[in-house]
Structure formats: structure tokens, C-alpha cells
Amino acid sequence: MNTATRTITLRSPDDCHLHLRDADMLKRVVNHSAREFARAVVMPNLKTPVTTVGLARDYRKRIQAAVDAHYSFDPLMTLYLTDNTQAKDITEAAACDWLVGAKLYPAGATTNSSSGVTSVVGLMPILEKMAETGMVLQVHGEVTDPHIDIFDREAVFIEQVLKPIVHELPELRIVLEHITTQHGVEFVQSSGDNIAGTLTPQHLLFNRNEIFRGGIRPHNYCLPVLKRETHRAALAKAATSGSPKFFLGTDSAPHTQDAKETACGCAGCYSAHAAMPMYTRLFEQYEALDKLEQFSSIAGARFYGLPLNQGRITLAKENWRVPDSYPVSSGKTLIPLFAGEQMDWKVA
Ligand code: NCD
Ligand code: ZN
């Protein structure tokens, strides 16, 4: 931290949970990520889910083709687990160094999850194969039972689904993605080194009041939904603690404005346009700027067994206004998190 000029220089960060979509949206968003991050763990929930190594390889090529030539950005892919995933898919995936895990979406839990897993019991042979090969399981940790209160779905998932998996397969490497509750933090903290969690900017900076501040704000709606302040504070404490078990995963999840501002809007916040400035704001608020690099650029790489990035990113303490929207294609637009608001850190 250079206090005279108010800049901070960090090892290039990794976004360990990112949605890039495909086609026009991919082209629109990927360079926002490439400007800040050297690598990203790319989620597989396309409209046609990325269920095989072949589909992941093709998607990775489309991502690489959409990145501007002056950026160096390495997309690390994930497989989408379904009721039909085969052990051979896992063996094949485990042999690819650019494929870093397989994602468990409980069927119906979130955007494009209808092909997700309906029975974790049925998935056990696949999870056993993952444990055997050392492949990471990325988990969307929410039950889908409509009788369970939406604010309790993460805690119930941890008790009813995740703990039994860990009991059966104690060596399985797991990332509990986008943790939103104190329960999630405590679960990760009390587990072995093989279990970690990602944290998003919106869950670190906002509590659930931000969905309803002055009226309903669809662009602050994501899943798992924002929680009350005590949970946000627990997440912030975990992120800024310097623990190797919590790392950066934006869950940046672009949807066009019309899909968000409608009678039944999609879940997902778009944060890739200013992800590092948002995290830096949090770490500054918690007087923990000295822990930011551990969270953004070291803990995730170490967990995934990746070499640390050699590049650097500099952030400057400087006010700028987030655009109201970004054009996508054919008149469609994308509304970013903090649209029209002031950010106080800028990527230099
Ligand atoms: C994500 C999306 O839109 O793909 N949405 C979200 O609210 N986070 C899916 C997910 O990660 O749940
Ligand atoms: Zn996500």
C-alpha cells in the first residue's frame, strides 16, 4: 500500500466463480473479467449445460476467442453434474489441467439448473470417483424444497445434504460456493483443509435490505438471496481474516435488463465491471487491505493447486461513476451492480 498516492498493487487475482454465458453476452462481459483477473473458474450452467469434457473444451475455445488480444486470461472450466454423469466423464475430466472441478446444482435451485442433480444419493458413485481422482466438487448449497423458507435454504442444505456427503467421503475436496450465512462460514471453518468457500462482492457489501431499499431492486436479487446483517458481518469477517479457506469468487451472473425487470425476474448480479474495486472497498472498510491479496490472489490458487499468478494489478483510490448500463446486442442492455453509483477504487 502506497499511502502517499493511495494505490495498492497486488499479485493478479483469480475469480474462482464466474458466469460468462455465451455468444453476444460472452463477448460483452469477458473482457471486464480479463481486465482484472488472470484466471477464472467458469461455471457450466449454459442453456445447454456443459456436461462433458468435449463441451467444456469447445466452450473454453469460444471464451478464449472472445478475449481481447492484449489480455492474458486463462479460463478454467467446470463440468455440470446431472443424474446421468458417468464415472468415465470424471476420469476424463480429472486428466485435463484446464478443467478444475464439477459443479453440483440441486435441480431447480437457480438459473439454468433444471438439468441438475435430483438425488445426491444417486450421485454418490460419481462423488466417490471425484474423491478418488482429487477433483474438486463445487456446490450450490441450497435445498430446493419449496416448504423451506428461502432464507434458511443454505443452512438446511449444509445440515441435510453437505454434512452427510462429508461424513461419507471425508477426503472429497469441496468448495461451498457463494457462502451467504454464518452457518456456511462456521461449516467451512470447522471442516478440514479440503473444504473451502467463495465469497461474492454483493454478499460481503449488502444485506437483504438492499433488495428493498426504497422499492424493489431486481438487480440486487441473486441466489442464494442476500441475508440479514449478522450474516453479512460474519462473511466480511471471514473474508478479511487472512484464512486460506475463504477466497474470491464473484458469481458475476449477467442477465439482460428485460430478464431482470419483469414479473418473474432472473436471479444473478453482474459485478465483473468493477469486482476488484468492490472487494477493495470492503477490505478498506475493515482496515484489512493487507489481507486482500491473500483473499484475491493466493488462497484460491493454493486450494486449486495452481501456480500463483506472476502479473500484478494496481488499484487507485479514485472516484468514478459506474455506468447506468452496458449495451449487449440488438437493443438489449445489461445493468451492473452499483449502476450509476460512485466507486471509490479504480483499476489503474
Ligand atoms: C447464477 C446465474 O445466473 O447463472 N445466478 C445467481 O443468482 N447467482 C446461478 C448461480 O450461481 O446460482
Ligand atoms: Zn454462480
Side-chain angles (χ1 to χ4, degrees):
M1 176 86 186
N2 179 336
T3 41
T5 55
R6 303 284 285 151
T7 64
I8 176 169
T9 297
L10 309 168
R11 191 179 282 283
S12 294
D14 296 313
D15 184 348
C16 293
H17 183 128
L18 177 64
H19 300 268
L20 287 172
R21 314 304 191 204
D22 216 337
D24 289 338
M25 186 62 98
L26 166 63
K27 292 186 186 109
R28 170 71 260 175
V29 301
V30 71
N31 290 296
H32 279 168
S33 291
R35 189 164 61 102
E36 296 189 7
F37 297 97
R39 296 177 292 216
V41 176
V42 180
M43 290 298 123
N45 62 329
L46 299 184
K47 287 203 176 94
T48 302
V50 179
T51 51
T52 64
V53 170
L55 289 169
R57 186 180 287 116
D58 292 346
Y59 182 31
R60 183 164 189 258
K61 285 189 190 136
R62 297 198 296 280
I63 296 168
Q64 287 167 327
V67 176
D68 286 350
H70 58 277
Y71 292 128
S72 134
F73 180 71
D74 190 12
L76 302 169
M77 310 308 289
T78 56
L79 278 196
Y80 184 116
L81 295 172
T82 72
D83 291 342
N84 299 317
T85 303
Q86 305 293 312
K88 68 170 172 39
D89 297 321
I90 301 301
T91 321
E92 201 186 334
C96 300
D97 53 6
W98 49 268
L99 207 160
V100 298
K103 179 82 188 270
L104 167 59
Y105 288 105
T110 187
T111 304
N112 295 341
S113 65
S114 57
S115 312
V117 171
T118 62
S119 154
V120 169
V121 174
L123 190 71
M124 283 315 281
I126 296 300
L127 299 183
E128 273 167 42
K129 181 54 88 180
M130 290 180 65
E132 191 187 306
T133 58
M135 194 165 167
V136 173
L137 175 71
Q138 292 115 356
V139 179
H140 183 108
E142 287 191 290
V143 290
T144 54
D145 181 346
H147 297 109
I148 307 285
D149 190 283
I150 193 164
F151 293 100
D152 296 335
R153 287 181 192 176
E154 181 171 290
V156 173
F157 183 91
I158 289 167
E159 292 307 314
Q160 294 185 355
V161 185
L162 202 47
K163 286 189 178 173
I165 292 176
V166 174
H167 182 77
E168 281 293 305
L169 296 169
E171 71 284 22
L172 180 62
R173 297 168 68 207
I174 299 174
V175 180
L176 182 56
E177 299 292 344
H178 41 54
I179 301 175
T180 64
T181 60
Q182 187 165 5
H183 308 93
V185 169
E186 284 167 5
F187 167 76
V188 169
Q189 274 168 344
S190 62
S191 302
D193 292 347
N194 55 318
I195 297 182
T198 54
L199 293 163
T200 79
Q202 66 270 24
H203 293 104
L204 288 168
L205 290 168
F206 296 161
N207 64 40
R208 62 192 190 180
N209 288 348
E210 284 303 304
I211 310 170
F212 306 106
R213 180 168 48 87
I216 193 152
R217 293 183 178 257
H219 302 290
N220 292 343
Y221 168 61
C222 66
L223 286 171
V225 71
L226 296 172
K227 304 297 192 296
R228 64 167 64 239
E229 175 60 18
T230 46
H231 293 298
R232 190 209 61 79
L235 304 178
K237 196 170 165 207
T240 57
S241 68
S243 162
K245 294 171 80 65
F246 298 97
F247 43 82
L248 187 158
T250 60
D251 194 25
S252 179
H255 294 273
T256 53
Q257 182 175 8
D258 59 311
K260 295 282 295 174
E261 298 176 14
T262 178
C264 188
C266 294
C269 298
Y270 183 65
S271 60
H273 61 294
M276 284 304 294
M278 293 179 208
Y279 286 111
T280 307
R281 172 182 287 193
L282 177 95
F283 278 70
E284 185 182 37
Q285 278 169 7
Y286 280 73
E287 296 180 8
L289 284 172
D290 60 324
K291 303 279 182 10
L292 178 57
E293 185 176 57
Q294 161 74 6
F295 176 78
S296 66
S297 320
I298 298 174
R302 291 256 155 84
F303 184 86
Y304 277 103
L306 300 166
L308 299 183
N309 296 316
Q310 289 308 305
R312 295 287 182 278
I313 184 176
T314 296
L315 291 127
K317 180 88 185 192
E318 189 183 317
N319 286 325
W320 62 287
R321 187 178 175 279
V322 176
D324 294 322
S325 69
Y326 293 103
V328 182
S329 62
S330 46
K332 301 250 184 193
T333 49
L334 171 60
I335 309 290
L337 206 61
F338 287 103
E341 293 183 46
Q342 290 291 315
M343 295 302 301
D344 48 3
W345 286 92
K346 192 170 187 188
V347 177

